[in-house]
Amino acid sequence: MLYFSTLILSFAAGFVFTQASNPLRKYTISAPGINATFIAYGARLTNLYVNDKSGNPQDVVLGYDDPADYVRNDETVHTYFGPIVGRYANRIKNGTFTVHGVTSHIPENDNMGHDTLHGGKVGYDQRNWTVVSANSTSVTFSLLDQAFEGFPGNVITFATYTVSAGPRWTSRLVSIPLDEPTPIMLANHVYWNLGAFVDAAGSTVLNNTLQMPYAARYIEIDNIEVPTGVIGTTKGTFLDFTSPKQIGRDIESAINNCGYNCTGYDNAFILDRPRYSSPESTDLSQLTLSSNSTGIQLDIYTNQQSLQIYTCDNTNGTIPVKRSQQHADNTTFVEKYGCIVIETQQWIDGVNHPEWGQDPYQIYTVDSEPAVVFAHLAKMRNIPPPPPTFQLTEGTSFPHPIYPAPFKHHELTHHEPKYHQPKHHDPKHEQDVNLVYDDFLNNSTAPRVNTDPLIAAALRKAHPDFHLTITTTYNSNLLAFAAAGHADVVSSSAPEKSTASTDDGSATSSKVQEPIPTDLKWRHYSPPARRTSASDGTLTDIIKFGHFIYIWSNTNYILYNVVGGHNGYDQDLTYLLGTTAEANDALLLAAGKYWSEPHVEVLVFDGGYWRNDRELWESVQRSTWDDVVLEAGMKESIIGEVEKFFGGEERYKQLKVPWKRGLIFHGPP
């Protein structure tokens, strides 16, 4: 690591750092499906064009047409449109911190002198950066910070922006301290509007769907938005975006959440990546944002451990949007909630909270690793359009209604999903599905060893524009995930009384799912769970070959459930076709995370694998120890062991072992 640091410093020393002769000159880079423009003033993004659902380029970031207006803005309202903010992004309490025993004071430029915001009165956003390199797909800026604003020591920073097919925009910010220990926390400060102001719904972000799957915690703040030191949890609050949710759904509950007498979001969400990842891993999408107005979706992958989300709570209709975003006869202005800022960064004011353990990610020295902020800040793509018009719930059709119309599409019951009927099918699509089914049928009726390669090859041929992911159905039961109300399934018909199930016989919905347009299924009778029940039992469809249109998080997928021969044994597999591998992984992670924990169910080990049993759970809730018939001594012993186990949560915490509800042995040993 020392060799690496020395190499970087030698490289940096070879440059002559002078301010750009024209810091307002535009540099445009492009790749298939994306076009971005920057200026050296603040190393700032001014325009970002991606194609909408109709193939028309839309500018999805706020700013000005005239680069000189950025300077005028900074001298007046100072909105931080599109630059890098630093040397320390976000807020510093009282403008003061201590690093390695040395206390520094930075000018307080926020809340009438009570804290420092984005690096002081003249931060990185108001500096003229140097253009080090530029070509058709990438531009690199540099800034030599000579103890600006009272920060300790000198720091050199390189900012490289790259666009590539996908389309995606990648931002890499690398900062190297040249002499003294110093805090460093940079961030891109881009104002997004994926709706691009194309219609009334696109004029704000209230209708945008936002998900941050790993943001179960956040940093609590006082009434001037300075951290209190308390770490809160988002579950069950208006701050919970771990599942997809429209931004406007709970925003009216966010009173005083963005400062005193302010309603909206301006919060630092902590990113707790799953245990198979790592604190700075970039393998998982940390945020997904989408707009139905344009069909554009944004996914963010970053090595940072926090996301600051600001929903433009203080914009007031005085700043006009750019010419590229004027779609109406009258001039459009940026109204309240007309945009959203997403800052990839470390924990806000972590330099003043050593108890958080953020020093390794915020304090840097001449012999430490450089400070690196890496983000696929925009891996942008079109949301595949849904099938022809269908009803989500009574009185509400896709796409989502314009806020504040009732959010009826959120009213899916927990165990009774709504299956939707397209009014017509694409004949070419039906032909492709028939070809896949024919290959499956030919293979199933002939000697074979493994069905999986044949089905995979047939699907890739039938759906060449989709990415194929294969998983076992019992590991990722997507139909059951939809049955729990977390996704929608579109089918060609839906008979009234029956139940769809996977090959293990477990029910996945309360209404039959008739696959499109060809299927193979078994009709299976299941007797009542209790001999004393008055029920006649149920009829279940065990799907052997099924095809579905699957909708999750405003994204359309094609789903096949196939039971085929695998080395002499039948295996139930799910074949998921999505626009990208990341889209498929996001769905499988969401479904896997949901099913990894019981939801008013008991995990039962039966038939060689675990399954969720709701009926057993309900039965247990009605049971008491008085119902247990055992020899008195044995009964007393069992009660003692059970109560000891369920009273032992603290012991589990001491051992750093996840707390479990326990095992229930049901039936004879």
Side-chain angles (χ1 to χ4, degrees):
M1 187 56 65
L2 179 60
Y3 170 77
F4 176 76
S5 299
T6 303
L7 178 64
I8 291 292
L9 291 174
S10 299
F11 171 72
F15 280 98
V16 177
F17 294 98
T18 59
Q19 293 180 349
S21 58
N22 181 8
L24 302 182
R25 173 189 170 185
K26 294 183 177 182
Y27 294 84
T28 298
I29 57 179
S30 60
I34 189 169
N35 179 300
T37 300
F38 304 86
I39 59 175
Y41 178 66
R44 187 181 310 257
L45 174 70
T46 63
N47 303 84
L48 182 63
Y49 289 90
V50 293
N51 292 336
D52 64 15
K53 57 190 175 184
S54 300
N56 300 316
Q58 299 292 347
D59 192 352
V60 295
V61 301
L62 272 62
Y64 294 103
D65 292 308
D66 182 359
D69 283 336
Y70 291 104
V71 181
R72 286 188 280 269
N73 175 285
D74 290 346
E75 293 172 347
T76 54
V77 293
H78 204 171
T79 51
Y80 300 94
F81 277 147
I84 293 173
V85 291
R87 176 186 308 188
Y88 195 89
N90 222 312
R91 289 172 171 82
I92 301 174
K93 184 176 182 178
N94 298 324
T96 303
F97 56 83
T98 300
V99 173
H100 290 202
V102 178
T103 299
S104 299
H105 187 84
I106 315 302
E108 297 99 327
N109 60 322
D110 191 40
N111 289 307
M112 296 182 292
H114 286 89
D115 62 90
T116 299
L117 177 64
H118 295 326
K121 292 182 178 179
V122 184
Y124 284 14
D125 61 297
Q126 297 181 74
R127 303 286 176 175
N128 294 332
W129 293 55
T130 299
V131 179
V132 174
S133 174
N135 56 42
S136 62
T137 60
S138 180
V139 60
T140 297
F141 300 96
S142 69
L143 179 69
L144 180 58
D145 174 355
Q146 297 175 296
F148 294 158
E149 298 296 284
F151 281 94
N154 301 307
V155 174
I156 185 171
T157 295
F158 295 91
T160 298
Y161 301 131
T162 304
V163 292
S164 56
R168 77 178 68 196
W169 168 38
T170 301
S171 169
R172 289 173 292 176
L173 313 180
V174 180
S175 300
I176 306 161
L178 302 180
D179 36 41
E180 299 179 31
T182 180
I184 301 174
M185 189 170 82
L186 307 188
N188 298 96
H189 203 275
V190 178
Y191 284 71
W192 299 91
N193 185 314
L194 300 187
F197 304 93
V198 298
D199 55 21
S203 65
T204 75
V205 297
L206 296 175
N207 297 285
N208 287 7
T209 299
L210 173 65
Q211 182 183 19
M212 295 179 286
Y214 307 110
R217 298 189 296 159
Y218 72 102
I219 297 173
E220 295 190 9
I221 54 177
D222 61 20
N223 60 8
I224 60 170
E225 300 188 84
V226 172
T228 63
V230 177
I231 304 300
T233 57
T234 63
K235 186 175 182 179
T237 74
F238 57 82
L239 292 167
D240 190 355
F241 287 93
T242 53
S243 297
K245 183 177 73 173
Q246 284 188 311
I247 291 173
R249 195 185 82 177
D250 298 328
I251 200 166
E252 292 181 358
S253 299
I255 301 171
N256 295 325
N257 180 60
C258 45
Y260 177 71
N261 203 28
C262 175
T263 299
Y265 294 104
D266 194 3
N267 301 96
F269 292 86
I270 295 170
L271 302 177
D272 292 313
R273 292 166 172 84
R275 63 183 182 183
Y276 55 80
S277 186
S278 63
E280 296 180 287
S281 177
T282 61
D283 57 338
L284 301 172
S285 173
Q286 300 299 319
L287 178 146
T288 298
L289 180 70
S290 62
S291 166
N292 281 317
S293 294
T294 58
I296 294 172
Q297 178 171 309
L298 163 68
D299 293 295
I300 292 183
Y301 299 76
T302 179
N303 68 335
Q304 299 297 280
Q305 299 179 59
S306 174
L307 293 173
Q308 181 78 24
I309 304 297
Y310 169 61
T311 51
C312 297
D313 317 309
N314 300 311
T315 52
N316 57 9
T318 59
I319 299 177
V321 302
K322 290 176 285 187
R323 285 191 296 270
S324 58
Q325 298 165 330
Q326 297 286 356
H327 300 282
D329 294 334
N330 299 322
T331 300
T332 300
F333 291 83
V334 184
E335 304 291 344
K336 185 176 184 178
Y337 308 130
C339 45
I340 181 171
V341 179
I342 306 167
E343 303 171 44
T344 58
Q345 58 191 220
Q346 301 296 350
W347 296 19
I348 172 177
D349 200 29
V351 66
N352 281 317
H353 292 277
E355 71 275 14
W356 290 348
Q358 276 279 297
D359 283 5
Y361 308 104
Q362 298 197 20
I363 308 300
Y364 294 89
T365 65
V366 292
D367 56 356
S368 71
E369 297 178 3
V372 179
V373 181
F374 175 85
H376 288 316
L377 251 179
K379 187 177 185 305
M380 311 194 70
R381 59 178 181 271
N382 291 328
I383 306 168
T389 305
F390 56 88
Q391 294 301 111
L392 284 171
T393 58
E394 182 179 356
T396 306
S397 61
F398 191 89
H400 301 313
I402 296 175
Y403 180 87
F407 296 93
K408 293 185 179 179
H409 55 282
H410 286 290
E411 296 172 3
L412 298 177
T413 58
H414 187 68
H415 288 283
E416 197 163 322
K418 312 299 182 186
Y419 294 101
H420 315 299
Q421 323 307 317
K423 291 186 177 179
H424 66 270
H425 296 301
D426 178 1
K428 172 64 167 58
H429 181 67
E430 293 189 3
Q431 180 182 2
D432 290 341
V433 177
N434 277 310
L435 291 174
V436 176
Y437 179 74
D438 288 344
D439 284 346
F440 168 77
L441 188 63
N442 291 335
N443 181 259
S444 301
T445 56
R448 85 277 190 194
V449 175
N450 197 328
T451 305
D452 188 26
L454 178 134
I455 295 295
L459 289 175
R460 290 190 174 102
K461 181 178 179 181
H463 307 284
D465 297 327
F466 286 77
H467 180 85
L468 173 63
T469 301
I470 306 171
T471 185
T472 54
T473 300
Y474 74 82
N475 181 260
S476 297
N477 195 329
L478 296 181
L479 289 182
F481 187 56
H486 299 287
D488 296 310
V489 181
V490 180
S491 68
S492 57
S493 61
E496 287 302 321
K497 293 183 179 180
S498 188
T499 303
S501 76
T502 54
D503 192 48
D504 63 7
S506 61
T508 61
S509 75
S510 57
K511 292 186 180 179
V512 75
Q513 190 55 91
E514 187 76 21
I516 309 173
T518 308
D519 72 310
L520 179 66
K521 60 188 178 184
W522 292 356
R523 198 68 164 160
H524 178 76
Y525 169 74
S526 298
R530 296 179 179 274
R531 291 188 296 272
T532 58
S533 172
S535 169
D536 294 332
T538 58
L539 291 175
T540 303
D541 287 334
I542 300 177
I543 298 170
K544 293 296 183 178
F545 182 97
H547 165 249
F548 310 89
I549 301 299
Y550 197 92
I551 305 170
W552 174 78
S553 188
N554 293 331
T555 303
N556 283 19
Y557 300 84
I558 300 173
L559 178 67
Y560 288 81
N561 274 7
V562 180
V563 179
H566 297 264
N567 298 319
Y569 297 93
D570 278 349
Q571 188 168 2
D572 193 345
L573 294 181
T574 292
Y575 297 81
L576 181 64
L577 293 140
T579 53
T580 63
E582 292 85 357
N584 292 0
D585 287 350
L587 172 55
L588 294 177
L589 281 169
K593 180 181 179 182
Y594 180 82
W595 288 112
S596 67
E597 300 177 353
H599 301 271
V600 294
E601 297 145 336
V602 172
L603 284 174
V604 176
F605 190 78
D606 187 21
Y609 57 90
W610 291 95
R611 64 181 177 85
N612 296 338
D613 192 316
R614 179 182 178 86
E615 185 178 15
L616 181 55
W617 167 266
E618 292 174 346
S619 174
V620 169
Q621 303 314 299
R622 298 190 298 268
S623 300
T624 68
W625 284 115
D626 293 336
D627 298 325
V628 179
V629 180
L630 278 175
E631 187 272 328
M634 181 181 293
K635 181 175 178 178
E636 183 179 356
S637 175
I638 291 176
I639 292 174
E641 288 298 324
V642 170
E643 292 181 347
K644 178 181 177 182
F645 173 82
F646 282 99
E649 184 172 1
E650 288 302 319
R651 180 60 173 164
Y652 270 68
K653 290 180 180 178
Q654 293 172 8
L655 296 174
K656 300 188 185 306
V657 175
W659 171 246
K660 306 294 183 182
R661 291 185 181 181
L663 298 174
I664 296 177
F665 295 94
H666 184 60

